[in-house]
Amino acid sequence: AQTVTQSQPEMSVQEAETVTLSCTYDTSESDYYLFWYKQPPSRQMILVIRQEAYKQQNATENRFSVNFQKAAKSFSLKISDSQLGDAAMYFCAYRSASGSWGKLQFGAGTQVVVTP
Amino acid sequence: KAGVTQTPRYLIKTRGQQVTLSCSPISGHRSVSWYQQTPGQGLQFLFEYFSETQRNKGNFPGRFSGRQFSNSRSEMNVSTLELGDSALYLCASSFGRDRTDTQYFGPGTRLTVL
């Protein structure tokens, strides 16, 4: 079974600064997908970024980028130029690429606090 | 394009009752997955439906069941409610066809069991 670990319950960052959220996972599979979802106070889960395990290039989406280290089973999210609207709970999630396409396994989440 | 919708948004029930939650996926999506979110257990996968068939199931008791209709809308039912069933129930939809699939979530249904 796969497990996803987010060891930082909360991270604080000042506006315009950079924050990095860590995520590690455990799997015996070689082909899978990793995701970062954002859950603001409205509780709506929003996809931030996704990474395909067989792609070595790190995914980027505007101010969001990941550092994917497959051998180390690490998948960190970097938020650059932080904005007040980035304040939310961030979840790292794992999904197998073989069959269980509808099943995401989530970490416990990291609360990001953005201070002016 | 309309997003995933869930109804109702809030529910209050008492122990022993049953409840039905509804999820309408994004147009064209045929897979619907359900998740339970609680402060203690976090986000846990309940089950996934694709083309009216349950394709995956999480580790929840039989009191939790679901179904999917021909228009891909899905319902989740919880019978004999317990206090511990109080949670935010999220559904997510996707095309469900291949490995590149990405899930998009609805706003959730907040269930409170008294």
Side-chain angles (χ1 to χ4, degrees):
Chain A
Q2 296 83 20
T3 58
V4 180
T5 302
Q6 294 179 252
S7 57
Q8 306 153 316
E10 184 174 300
M11 294 288 284
S12 186
V13 61
Q14 283 192 314
E15 267 189 297
E17 296 297 308
T18 296
V19 64
T20 300
L21 312 183
S22 66
C23 172
T24 58
Y25 57 94
D26 186 27
T27 183
S28 58
E29 299 178 324
S30 59
D31 197 9
Y32 49 86
Y33 286 77
L34 296 164
F35 304 84
W36 281 98
Y37 281 90
K38 167 185 176 181
Q39 189 178 44
S42 68
R43 309 300 264 173
Q44 173 86 51
M45 294 280 276
I46 301 164
L47 176 66
V48 175
I49 200 166
R50 78 172 202 173
Q51 175 77 41
E52 303 169 51
Y54 65 86
K55 285 191 175 179
Q56 293 190 348
Q57 185 173 5
N58 290 322
T60 61
E61 286 288 343
N62 301 314
R63 297 181 296 105
F64 298 88
S65 61
V66 298
N67 183 3
F68 173 50
Q69 302 289 328
K70 190 173 183 179
K73 296 179 182 175
S74 170
F75 182 59
S76 62
L77 175 71
K78 184 169 80 172
I79 307 174
S80 304
D81 186 25
S82 296
Q83 301 174 0
L84 293 177
D86 295 333
M89 183 72 89
Y90 287 79
F91 292 96
C92 176
Y94 172 102
R95 199 206 80 210
S96 173
S98 56
S100 298
W101 299 323
K103 179 180 179 180
L104 289 168
Q105 289 178 258
F106 288 90
T110 296
Q111 182 72 49
V112 171
V113 176
V114 183
T115 55
Chain B
K1 200 174 191 180
V4 179
T5 58
Q6 291 186 245
T7 56
R9 293 294 310 278
Y10 301 91
L11 265 179
I12 299 175
K13 293 286 187 179
T14 56
R15 277 181 299 174
Q17 288 187 309
Q18 76 165 15
V19 67
T20 299
L21 313 182
S22 180
C23 173
S24 293
I26 292 171
S27 178
H29 285 187
R30 293 168 63 191
S31 168
V32 174
S33 296
W34 289 88
Y35 296 85
Q36 181 196 65
Q37 185 176 21
T38 60
Q41 299 298 316
L43 278 153
Q44 294 185 285
F45 171 78
L46 279 155
F47 32 64
E48 180 209 5
Y49 283 86
F50 177 79
S51 291
E52 303 178 64
T53 301
Q54 188 179 85
R55 189 160 70 173
N56 273 297
K57 189 178 188 308
N59 189 25
F60 278 81
R63 300 185 297 107
F64 291 82
S65 63
R67 60 177 176 168
Q68 188 178 35
F69 301 95
S70 58
N71 62 357
S72 295
R73 187 178 70 86
S74 177
E75 288 183 346
M76 190 192 92
N77 184 274
V78 188
S79 62
T80 319
L81 284 166
E82 301 177 0
L83 294 178
D85 297 333
S86 294
L88 180 69
Y89 289 88
L90 295 165
C91 82
S93 79
S94 64
F95 288 110
R97 287 190 299 247
D98 60 42
R99 59 198 305 283
T100 65
D101 218 32
T102 295
Q103 292 187 12
Y104 297 90
F105 283 80
T109 293
R110 170 75 66 185
L111 172 64
T112 302
V113 182
L114 303 176

